[in-house]
C-alpha cells in the first residue's frame, strides 16, 4: 500500500470589510488548487494567513496583538515537531510592511491586497528560503483577477468583486493608498464569474467594490460599460434570484443606476449609501464630492424609483473641526432618512492621510459621547423597522446554521437577520417566513403556512 501523505492544512483569519471576505475566499481557492485543505482551528494548520484591515487604528492594532497569539501556537507546534508558516495579507501589509518586519519578525511572508495571486510563487520561495521573511507589496502591473483560479460559491449568497481601489481620496481614508487607484474588471470576466457562482449554488450575488457605482469595465468590444449595464446583464441570469451592490458613493448615483431600482425586480430594496456626516462644512473637509442636499436629493429620486427601498449608511463622528452644531446636522440627517441599519465610527487618525494633520482634532472623550448619542438614535430607527416587520411574511435566504440545533439563520431582502427553527434542507434556499418577533438586532420567524416555497 502507498504510504499516506499528510495533506497540508490552512487557516485564514479575516479582518475588516466584505472585500477582505471575498479576497480570503479567493486565497482559499488558490490554496485548494495547491492541494491544501481547510483546518478547523489555527492549531491544526500548517499555514496560517491573516487577511488584515488598516481602515482604523483599532483594526490594525488587533492584527498585531492576534499575531502574537499565533506565534505562541507556532512555538507549541514546533515542540510537537510541526512546522508552521505564518503569512499576512491585506491592507496592513501595504501600509505597514516595515512595522510587520519589526513587530512580528516571525512572519514568513506578507503580501498586499493586489498581489496575493502570486501566492504559489511566494509559498515556493518561503519553503526554499526557510527562516527569511518574504514581503511582496508592489502595486503590480497585472490584474490579480487574470491569474486567480475559478471562484466557486461557498453558499447561497456570494460576494463578487467588480472593482479594486478608489480614486475619491476622502481625507480620512487609507483605501486609495492600500488598494490603489480604482480599476474595474471587464464585463465578461464579471459575468463569467457570476455564472460560475450561480452554477455552483449561489442564488444571491453581492457586487463589491469601494465605489461600485463608478464601475466602468470594458465589454467584449472594448466599450466601457457602467454599473447599470452590468446589473441588467446579471438580472438576465437564470437561477440568480437576488442582486445587491455595495459600497456606493452618493455623487456617482446616476439616473441610469437609480432606474434599475425601478426596473429590476432582482435588485434588493436595500441600499448602503454612506453619507459620513450631515454637515456641509465637514463633508467639504472630508473631500466628499457631495453636499447634504445633494445626498438627500439622490435619496428622494431613489424613493421615487422604488418606494419600498430602505437605506443604510456609514458615519464618522469627531472628524477634525467637527463642532456640536456639525454633529447636530448628522443627527438631523439620521432623523430625515431613518436608516434601517448603519455603521458608525469615531474618527481614527491614519498616518499619511490629509486629515491626520488637520488642526482642531477632536478630543477622544467628545468623540465617544457623540458616538454613543448617534448610535442610540440609529438603533432606535433600526429597532422600529425590525418591529414593523412582525406579522409580515418575507422571503428569507438561509445562509448558515444557528447556535441551537435545528435552527437556521437567514436574511430578508432588507438584510435583517432572521432566526428560524427549520429543517437544514432549507440552507441556501429562499423561503417564505412569517416574522413572529423582533429585537434591535434580529428577527425570529416560522415557515409561512401559505405555500412554503423553496427556490
Ligand atoms: N476613521 C474612522 N472611520 C473611517 N472610515 C474610513 N476611514 C476611517 C477613519 N480614518 C469608515 C468610513 C467608511 C467605512 C468603511 O469606514 O465610514 O465608509
Ligand atoms: Fe475611502 Fe472615500 Fe474611497 Fe470610500 S470613497 S474607499 S471612504 S476614499
Amino acid at each position: 500500500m502507498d504510504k499516506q501523505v499528510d495533506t497540508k492544512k490552512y487557516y485564514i483569519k479575516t479582518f475588516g470589510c466584505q472585500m477582505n471576505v471575498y479576497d480570503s475566499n479567493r486565497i482559499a481557492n488558490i490554496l485548494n488548487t495547491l492541494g491544501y485543505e481547510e483546518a478547523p482551528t489555527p492549531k491544526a494548520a500548517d499555514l496560517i494567513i491573516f487577511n488584515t484591515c488598516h481602515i482604523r487604528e483599532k483594526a490594525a492594532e488587533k492584527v498585531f496583538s492576534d499575531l502574537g497569539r499565533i506565534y505562541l501556537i507556532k512555538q507549541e507546534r514546533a515542540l510537537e515537531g510541526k512546522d508552521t508558516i505564518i503569512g499576512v495579507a491585506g491592507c496592513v501589509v501595504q501600509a505597514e510592511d516595515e512595522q510587520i518586519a519589526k513587530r512580528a519578525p516571525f512572519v514568513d511572508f506578507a503580501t498586499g491586497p493586489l498581489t496575493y495571486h502570486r501566492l504559489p510563487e511566494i509559498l515556493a520561495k518561503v519553503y526554499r528560503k526557510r527562516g527569511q521573511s518574504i514581503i511582496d507589496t508592489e502595486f503590480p502591473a497585472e490584474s490579480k483577477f487574470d491569474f486567480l483560479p475559478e471562484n466557486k460559491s461557498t453558499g447561497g449568497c456570494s460576494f463578487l468583486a467588480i472593482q479594486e481601489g478608489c480614486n475619491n481620496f476622502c481625507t480620512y481614508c487609507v483605501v486609495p493608498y492600500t488598494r490603489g487607484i480604482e480599476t474595474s474588471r471587464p464585463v465578461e470576466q464579471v459575468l463569467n464569474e457570476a455564472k460560475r457562482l450561480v452554477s455552483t449554488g449561489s442564488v444571491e450575488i453581492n457586487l463589491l467594490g469601494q465605489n461600485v457605482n463608478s464601475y466602468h469595465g470594458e465589454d467584449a468590444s472594448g466599450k466601457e460599460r457602467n454599473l447599470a449595464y452590468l446589473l441588467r446583464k446579471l438580472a438576465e441570469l437564470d437561477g440568480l434570484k437576488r442582486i445587491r451592490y455595495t459600497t456606493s458613493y452618493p455623487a456617482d448615483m446616476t439616473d441610469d443606476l437609480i432606474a434599475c431600482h425601478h426596473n429590476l425586480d432582482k435588485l434588493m430594496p436595500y441600499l448602503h449609501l454612506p453619507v459620513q456626516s450631515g454637515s456641509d462644512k465637514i463633508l467639504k473637509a472630508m473631500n466628499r464630492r457631495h453636499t447634504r442636499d445633494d445626498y438627500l436629493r439622490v435619496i428622494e429620486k431613489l424613493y421615487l424609483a422604488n418606494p419600498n427601498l430602505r437605506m443604510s449608511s456609514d458615519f464618522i463622528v469627531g472628524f477634525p473641526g467637527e463642532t456640536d452644531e456639525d454633529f447636530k446636522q448628522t443627527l438631523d440627517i439620521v432623523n430625515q432618512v431613518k436608516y434601517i441599519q448603519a455603521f458608525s465610527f469615531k474618527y481614527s487618525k491614519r498616518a499619511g492621510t490629509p486629515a491626520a494633520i488637520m488642526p482642531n482634532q477632536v478630543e477622544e472623550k467628545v468623540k465617544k459621547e457623540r458616538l454613543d448619542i448617534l448610535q442610540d438614535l440609529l438603533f432606535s430607527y433600526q429597532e422600529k423597522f425590525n418591529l414593523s416587520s412582525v406579522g409580515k411574511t418575507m422571503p428569507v435566504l438561509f445562509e448558515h446554521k444557528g447556535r441551537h440545533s435545528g435552527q437556521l439563520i437567514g436574511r430578508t431582502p432588507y438584510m435583517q437577520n432572521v432566526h428560524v427553527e427549520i429543517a437544514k434542507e432549507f440552507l441556501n434556499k429562499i423561503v417564505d417566513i412569517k416574522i413572529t418577533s423582533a429585537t434591535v438586532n434580529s428577527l425570529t420567524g416560522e415557515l409561512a403556512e401559505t405555500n412554503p416555497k423553496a427556490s
Side-chain angles (χ1 to χ4, degrees), residues 55-56 172-173 274 276 314-316 345-348 350:
I55 198 102
R56 284 168 291 277
Y172 50 81
C173 182
Q276 311 296 355
D314 292 340
F315 296 92
I316 296 177
F345 313 100
K346 288 184 286 186
Y347 166 70
S348 167
R350 308 311 287 133

Side-chain angles (χ1 to χ4, degrees), residues 15-17 19-20 23 27 50-56 59-60 63-64 88-100 110-116 136-137 139 144 164-165 173-180 210 350:
F15 299 79
C17 65
M19 201 68 173
N20 267 12
D23 286 337
I27 290 172
F50 275 20
N51 193 9
T52 61
C53 173
H54 197 251
I55 198 102
R56 284 168 291 277
V63 169
F64 285 106
V88 184
C91 292
V92 169
V93 177
Q94 206 63 42
E96 300 203 41
D97 50 348
E98 283 168 16
Q99 283 295 314
I100 291 178
T111 174
L114 305 179
T115 44
Y116 64 77
D136 185 2
T137 54
F139 283 116
K144 69 186 177 198
E164 183 79 68
C173 182
V174 288
V175 166
Y177 310 97
T178 57
R179 286 192 180 259
Q210 258 74 36
R350 308 311 287 133

Side-chain angles (χ1 to χ4, degrees), residues 17-18 163 206-214 227 245-250 253 271-274 276 288 314:
C17 65
Q18 291 164 329
Q163 177 198 58
N206 193 341
L207 301 179
L208 288 187
Q210 258 74 36
N211 177 14
V212 273
N213 51 357
S214 74
L227 180 63
Y245 62 93
T246 191
T247 295
S248 295
Y249 189 82
M253 289 301 299
L271 185 66
H272 184 61
L273 190 63
Q276 311 296 355
R288 304 282 292 181
D314 292 340

Side-chain angles (χ1 to χ4, degrees), residues 315-381:
F315 296 92
I316 296 177
V317 297
F319 185 82
E322 187 188 70
T323 60
D324 283 341
E325 182 48 40
D326 295 315
F327 176 60
K328 251 173 67 194
Q329 298 277 314
T330 297
L331 297 178
D332 187 66
I333 211 163
V334 172
N335 284 323
Q336 282 198 49
V337 181
K338 304 181 173 51
Y339 298 94
I340 64 165
Q341 265 165 53
F343 302 91
S344 44
F345 313 100
K346 288 184 286 186
Y347 166 70
S348 167
K349 230 189 211 184
R350 308 311 287 133
T353 59
I357 49 168
M358 283 182 183
N360 303 321
Q361 297 281 332
V362 175
E363 251 182 274
E364 191 56 30
K365 184 171 146 274
V366 176
K367 285 188 207 171
K368 180 160 182 349
E369 278 166 14
R370 289 184 185 162
L371 187 66
D372 287 346
I373 295 169
L374 175 63
Q375 291 189 336
D376 279 350
L377 186 64
L378 289 168
F379 285 145
S380 73
Y381 284 113

Side-chain angles (χ1 to χ4, degrees), residues 5 13 27 39 54 105 107-108 118-119 123 159 168 183 192-193 210 265 292 327 343 357-358 368 386 417 455:
V5 180
K13 180 169 168 119
I27 290 172
H54 197 251
V107 164
D108 296 291
R118 297 178 182 162
L119 208 50
L123 282 172
F159 292 128
N168 281 325
T183 53
N192 286 337
E193 189 169 327
Q210 258 74 36
D265 291 343
R292 165 201 180 88
F327 176 60
F343 302 91
I357 49 168
M358 283 182 183
K368 180 160 182 349
N386 283 353
N417 276 315
S455 46

Side-chain angles (χ1 to χ4, degrees), residues 223-281:
K223 189 169 175 202
E224 280 200 353
R225 299 292 192 170
N226 62 15
L227 180 63
Y229 176 89
L230 196 59
L231 291 173
R232 287 194 291 268
K233 283 279 169 201
L234 273 176
E236 289 170 12
L237 292 184
D238 279 342
L240 181 60
K241 313 269 184 203
R242 292 177 163 194
I243 305 171
R244 303 180 190 275
Y245 62 93
T246 191
T247 295
S248 295
Y249 189 82
D252 294 328
M253 289 301 299
T254 59
D255 288 346
D256 197 14
L257 180 57
I258 292 172
C260 289
H261 286 275
H262 182 70
N263 300 326
L264 299 180
D265 291 343
K266 292 184 182 181
L267 196 54
M268 289 293 99
Y270 170 89
L271 185 66
H272 184 61
L273 190 63
V275 66
Q276 311 296 355
S277 165
S279 150
D280 281 343
K281 181 188 98 192

